[in-house]
Amino acid sequence: GVQISPSSTYGRKEIKLRGLDADYTLLLVNGRRINSRDVLTSEYANDFDLSSIPIAAIDRIEVIRGPMSSLYGADAIGGVVNVILLQPSNQTRAGIAYTYEAPTVGDSGDSHKASGYVSGALIENRLLGNLIVEGVDQAAWRSDQTVSPDADAAEHRQAGSLYGSLRWLLDERQTVDVDVTHRQDDRVANWYPGLRYGVVQNDQEMERTSFGLAHSGRWEGIDSRLRYYYEDVELTDDSELMTRFNGNLVGQAEQQNHTIDGQLSGFVAGQLLTVGAEGRRTEFSHNQNLGTETNVDQYAFFVQDEFSLGNLDVTLGGRWDHHDAFGSEFSPRAYGVYNLTDNWVIKGGVGKSFKAPAIYQSDETYSVAACQGFCRVKGNAQLKPETAISYELGTLYQNDSFEAGVTLFQTEIDDMIVSDRWSAGYRPTVMTYSNISTARVRGYELVGRYAFTEALGLRANYTYSDAEDREAENPLNNTPQHVANVGLDWRALSALALNLDYQYVGSQWLSTPASGAQESGAFHVLNLGSRYQATPQLAFNAGMNNLSNEKRDDVAQSVDNILMGRTVFVGFSYDI
């Protein structure tokens, strides 16, 4: 149910869950939101948010499909992606890594990625710390697939990040965690919006700083957590189309997110009960748009109860959200897992969700250039919040060598927010956002894994999703009906591991400026990777992505949704 796709201009990627747009995926780092959606609007995907996560610092990634958790937020209609970063320990660790990647087709596009980390105890059993640095330099890539030969298929990126964390062990029961992240992310691309302007240069520089402070306690049967975190996102947008649209004024946007939350969890009468509250303030300014700086306040209360009835494990939850501009909504959830055996379960649940319009969607003074510079899209103060109810039912069997499962899902979204689009015979100079009465996404997911031997294993998954605007009886854009992944993992030698991965993405409807929605055909990608553990400390990796040099069809290419051509990569990591 997870799709990572380059479905925006310049090769920027986004994460979609169960056929819903990336705007419905809630991105978290250590359970904390990362969000710059008002700075960039959703037309630019959520690539800047994804890129802000230091890859070298990732411990694991948790995915919750659909609005099935009361703890994270009511607005996660598609689901939650929670990236858990490495935590410091008493053990001293350090390492460096480097990867070089180069396309074998088109012009340029080489990329260099390097990282280093050190972790350990500053004061043993009392003060622990992490320090991680990371840098990326990727040249712009040109391809004969773009509408204009002078346009870039992938942008030039230069980015650097610094992540540091400290854990203070007050005593055996209490810890205080502090972390700071800073990232500079600069992007330049030549883009062809249409005949009116020809090729224009888009230059965007984003600086993001975040700070977190948390206290955790383990008391007699009760765990507590109190956190404050802050995020400051500053964007300098010297995109030529937007500056022309706004009297040659270079865009300066800043979004500050303040969040404080707390929760208590413990066993009461054999049930694990969690209660908590959250308050968020977003402060936003934009010199090309908003008349004045705007503030948005939101707060929530949530409760979750987990208990067992024989072989049935039940989770019940509810979340009450209040938005200072769009009122209050209560979102209940219920989920159950029935254990047929130690290896086989039946599971299912229902959850409600609530999503308020973003600032750029609801503020009438916020407008962006569209239609190749011939029109603008502005906010609509009459928008209503989106609400959704999601259902799922599935079964899963797994043991050490075999896994198979199927899950049916359906999400009904009321008052879904959509942007107006040009189409044949419809060419207004000013457009806005509106609510459609009902949208529905339904389908099923298949997952499987089989270990032929200890050295050879096969894994696969497939998602079918039928996403429809039920008011107009049209399919939703950028939503492929079929997505499949197959992977083969082979440990050829004790020190050598190989993997072969295949992805199939079915046909989908795309919005094109000249002709409205058009169907873009399916495409597939084959990737090969290898890792050689030369010593306990030193490892090498190499491989090739898009072995067959697959290309998307003319419809996708007409809006510069370009698939990166065949690329080779090599790298190493050294850890002590």
Side-chain angles (χ1 to χ4, degrees):
V2 180
Q3 181 193 1
I4 303 177
S5 62
S7 55
S8 65
T9 313
Y10 334 123
R12 295 181 180 177
K13 292 183 172 62
E14 58 188 5
I15 294 182
K16 299 180 177 182
L17 295 175
R18 288 186 169 170
L20 287 171
D21 190 77
D23 220 21
Y24 296 96
T25 300
L26 178 61
L27 294 177
L28 306 173
V29 174
N30 290 340
R32 297 161 14 185
R33 294 166 181 258
I34 54 172
N35 175 26
S36 60
R37 86 192 256 225
D38 288 306
V39 165
L40 276 168
T41 82
S42 61
E43 295 296 327
Y44 287 100
N46 53 10
D47 187 76
F48 269 103
D49 285 338
L50 289 172
S51 300
S52 71
I53 303 170
I55 301 298
I58 293 177
D59 178 44
R60 65 185 188 277
I61 300 175
E62 300 173 345
V63 176
I64 301 173
R65 296 167 178 85
M68 294 302 170
S69 173
S70 299
L71 307 182
Y72 291 133
D75 52 358
I77 294 177
V80 177
V81 175
N82 187 17
V83 180
I84 310 298
L85 302 184
L86 292 166
Q87 298 298 316
S89 67
N90 275 308
Q91 181 182 0
T92 300
R93 297 180 299 170
I96 56 173
Y98 170 78
T99 300
Y100 172 74
E101 186 171 355
T104 63
V105 294
D107 295 326
S108 193
D110 297 14
S111 74
H112 305 265
K113 301 178 182 179
S115 64
Y117 75 94
V118 60
S119 176
L122 283 75
I123 304 174
E124 190 171 358
N125 296 321
R126 182 63 65 182
L127 186 62
L128 315 176
N130 269 342
L131 182 63
I132 298 169
V133 294
E134 189 172 79
V136 176
D137 188 350
Q138 177 178 315
W141 176 63
R142 291 199 173 176
S143 166
D144 59 7
Q145 301 172 61
T146 54
V147 176
S148 169
D150 297 321
D152 296 324
E155 62 195 343
H156 176 210
R157 291 182 54 210
Q158 287 184 308
S161 63
L162 174 69
Y163 168 73
S165 68
L166 288 173
R167 169 163 288 186
W168 182 17
L169 307 176
L170 298 177
D171 53 38
E172 293 181 352
R173 300 187 299 179
Q174 299 181 76
T175 59
V176 172
D177 290 278
V178 180
D179 64 82
V180 177
T181 304
H182 181 79
R183 183 174 182 86
Q184 182 74 36
D185 195 343
D186 301 339
R187 320 246 184 134
V188 180
N190 291 317
W191 181 49
Y192 180 71
L195 292 173
R196 183 180 187 182
Y197 293 114
V199 174
V200 296
Q201 180 173 291
N202 281 356
D203 187 346
Q204 294 177 325
E205 299 178 0
M206 181 174 284
E207 189 172 354
R208 184 191 304 256
T209 302
S210 64
F211 167 80
L213 175 64
H215 175 274
S216 300
R218 295 171 298 279
W219 316 102
E220 296 297 331
I222 296 177
D223 292 344
S224 66
R225 186 190 69 203
L226 180 64
R227 300 187 301 188
Y228 166 77
Y229 47 100
Y230 166 80
E231 183 180 35
D232 179 82
V233 182
E234 298 182 32
L235 175 71
T236 300
D237 192 352
D238 194 9
S239 300
E240 193 173 346
L241 184 62
M242 284 296 292
T243 54
R244 289 183 183 183
F245 181 77
N246 291 285
N248 295 320
L249 179 66
V250 175
Q252 297 288 343
E254 183 174 11
Q255 179 175 341
Q256 294 181 331
N257 304 310
H258 303 264
T259 304
I260 184 168
D261 66 19
Q263 71 176 47
L264 298 172
S265 61
F267 283 93
V268 178
Q271 304 180 44
L272 179 57
L273 190 66
T274 302
V275 296
E278 175 188 75
R280 303 201 312 270
R281 163 165 281 205
T282 297
E283 300 171 354
F284 183 60
S285 61
H286 199 312
N287 68 334
Q288 290 179 333
N289 282 292
L290 304 167
T292 59
E293 180 179 303
T294 187
N295 299 326
V296 175
D297 292 318
Q298 301 174 71
Y299 53 87
F301 299 94
F302 55 86
V303 59
Q304 183 165 288
D305 187 17
E306 302 171 62
F307 58 93
S308 297
L309 298 172
N311 292 327
L312 177 64
D313 300 322
V314 179
T315 301
L316 302 177
R319 186 179 180 97
W320 182 79
D321 286 88
H322 178 80
H323 189 288
D324 63 0
F326 295 100
S328 304
E329 189 76 26
F330 178 68
S331 304
R333 279 79 179 248
Y335 206 89
V337 178
Y338 186 78
N339 301 277
L340 294 170
T341 69
D342 290 342
N343 302 103
W344 188 14
V345 300
I346 296 175
K347 55 182 182 175
V350 58
K352 185 180 178 183
S353 47
F354 160 81
K355 185 172 183 290
I359 295 172
Y360 72 87
Q361 294 172 329
S362 59
D363 193 305
E364 292 178 312
T365 66
Y366 197 140
S367 62
V368 295
C371 319
Q372 302 178 350
F374 285 94
C375 78
R376 59 192 175 107
V377 179
K378 70 173 188 175
N380 178 6
Q382 305 305 314
L383 284 179
K384 294 183 287 187
E386 300 169 282
T387 58
I389 298 181
S390 298
Y391 308 87
E392 69 174 63
L393 178 65
T395 185
L396 178 69
Y397 178 88
Q398 56 186 174
N399 58 32
D400 291 341
S401 61
F402 175 74
E403 176 181 333
V406 58
T407 302
L408 310 175
F409 64 88
Q410 176 167 307
T411 299
E412 297 270 358
I413 305 175
D414 292 332
D415 298 316
M416 187 179 203
I417 298 173
V418 296
S419 174
D420 207 357
R421 301 280 183 180
W422 269 17
S423 59
Y426 181 68
R427 298 286 194 272
T429 57
V430 178
M431 298 190 296
T432 189
Y433 300 89
S434 60
N435 296 105
I436 59 177
S437 60
T438 305
R440 181 192 65 202
V441 181
R442 63 181 179 183
Y444 56 89
E445 300 160 343
L446 304 176
V447 62
R449 171 183 57 84
Y450 183 70
F452 298 99
T453 67
E454 290 185 358
L456 183 64
L458 180 70
R459 48 187 161 77
N461 61 70
Y462 165 77
T463 300
Y464 168 81
S465 59
D466 177 19
E468 181 185 25
D469 173 354
R470 303 198 70 187
E471 182 178 300
E473 297 184 347
N474 292 327
L476 297 181
N477 289 340
N478 298 305
T479 306
Q481 277 197 330
H482 309 277
V483 176
N485 297 277
V486 180
L488 186 66
D489 301 306
W490 180 34
R491 183 165 292 280
L493 301 169
S494 61
L496 176 64
L498 304 171
N499 63 277
L500 185 67
D501 288 278
Y502 169 81
Q503 182 183 58
Y504 172 85
V505 179
S507 61
Q508 56 190 297
W509 289 84
L510 301 178
S511 177
T512 60
S515 306
Q518 294 189 70
E519 187 173 15
S520 175
F523 62 94
H524 54 89
V525 180
L526 188 65
N527 303 321
L528 175 66
S530 65
R531 179 178 177 86
Y532 179 70
Q533 195 72 41
T535 71
Q537 295 80 30
L538 179 64
F540 296 95
N541 60 77
M544 186 177 294
N545 293 323
N546 194 3
L547 271 73
S548 61
N549 195 34
E550 176 79 353
K551 299 179 180 180
R552 297 190 66 174
D553 65 3
D554 291 341
V555 173
Q557 292 181 26
S558 72
V559 289
D560 283 341
N561 279 6
I562 309 299
L563 192 64
M564 178 65 80
R566 183 189 303 112
T567 61
V568 297
F569 64 89
V570 294
F572 75 91
S573 61
Y574 186 82
D575 299 280
I576 57 174

